[in-house]
Amino acid sequence: MFPYQLTDTLTLDFFKDDDAPVLFQLISKNRAYLKEFLPWLDFCKSIEDSQEFIRKTTIENNENTALTLCIRKTDQIIGVICFHAFDHNSKSAGIGYWLDNDHQGKGIITLACENLIQYGFNDLNLAEIKISCGRANIKSMAVPERLGFVRKKIIPQKEWLYDHYVDHCCYEMTAEEWGALKLSHSMNI
């Protein structure tokens, strides 16, 4: 399945060991904007931290406990997308993502999510996929809404973000809903 070609220039792929310097540089470049919405930036302060992230995600990918991929544009890493820890009992997973600021607003994350969702339902046999994001993260909230997810709830003070709590909007999609949505979309073409 991977690398998976999204477009002529975009792919979803596993991280390689030698991606750590490039990943760390990308995080450093985007640190200020990422810190507005993501809680892990204080744990990524060196290339070694990026190496540890790649090592950890490689183990999780191999053990089928999660799935973390990089988004590459012409072989250059421009973002990350993942299925957070799989819940094998309920056959569900949550999606997380972030993208280089220079590549936002071009539909890349929506396209990557759409393909990962398709993979999750068709190949991994997931029954449900969730996306949760900070209520103030308007760009991130637009992704599940564009893809037809239903906002199920708002969880007050769900996440500690450096010096304050943030509320989260929680979106969900079942395999049946996704199939009906895709069928409806294909009939309208």
Side-chain angles (χ1 to χ4, degrees):
M1 173 68 194
F2 302 103
Y4 181 80
Q5 204 74 34
L6 296 172
T7 68
D8 290 344
T9 59
L10 293 170
T11 58
L12 299 180
D13 199 2
F14 294 115
F15 281 100
K16 300 176 182 88
D17 290 336
D18 61 355
D19 285 332
V22 174
L23 178 61
F24 180 70
Q25 181 181 15
L26 186 67
I27 291 168
S28 296
K29 173 187 168 210
N30 289 278
R31 189 172 298 274
Y33 111 79
L34 291 173
K35 204 164 185 175
E36 291 179 50
F37 304 112
L38 299 172
W40 48 263
L41 278 298
D42 285 350
F43 301 104
C44 187
K45 296 183 178 181
S46 68
I47 292 173
E48 290 77 18
D49 293 333
S50 289
Q51 288 171 326
E52 178 59 22
F53 169 79
I54 291 171
R55 186 193 69 72
K56 178 182 165 274
T57 60
T58 300
I59 291 169
E60 291 172 346
N61 289 346
N62 290 337
E63 292 178 350
N64 195 32
T65 57
L67 177 63
T68 300
L69 304 164
C70 60
I71 303 168
R72 297 183 192 268
K73 181 177 181 185
T74 319
D75 293 328
Q76 174 189 354
I77 297 172
I78 61 168
V80 177
I81 189 166
C82 67
F83 277 128
H84 299 299
F86 292 115
D87 182 336
H88 292 290
N89 291 329
S90 66
K91 297 177 77 175
S92 69
I95 292 181
Y97 44 82
W98 65 268
L99 189 67
D100 173 48
N101 200 32
D102 293 340
H103 291 88
Q104 291 187 12
K106 300 173 183 169
I108 294 171
I109 283 293
T110 302
L111 180 64
C113 281
E114 181 176 23
N115 282 273
L116 191 62
I117 292 163
Q118 194 72 23
Y119 177 72
F121 287 139
N122 291 347
D123 297 286
L124 300 178
N125 296 313
L126 293 175
E128 182 180 57
I129 294 175
K130 302 173 184 181
I131 297 177
S132 176
C133 46
R135 196 172 182 182
N137 194 343
I138 304 301
K139 288 181 181 179
S140 189
M141 288 170 41
V143 174
E145 290 172 4
R146 269 193 298 276
L147 292 169
F149 277 61
V150 174
R151 185 166 75 186
K152 294 290 186 173
K153 59 188 167 188
I154 295 174
I155 302 175
Q157 299 187 354
K158 167 119 173 40
E159 182 175 51
W160 179 254
L161 199 59
Y162 306 103
D163 62 355
H164 66 285
Y165 282 102
V166 294
D167 299 347
H168 268 225
C169 291
C170 301
Y171 298 85
E172 297 177 6
M173 174 76 69
T174 66
E176 292 79 21
E177 291 166 338
W178 184 257
L181 188 69
K182 289 296 156 189
L183 179 62
S184 169
H185 178 70
S186 67
M187 295 176 89
N188 291 330
I189 293 178

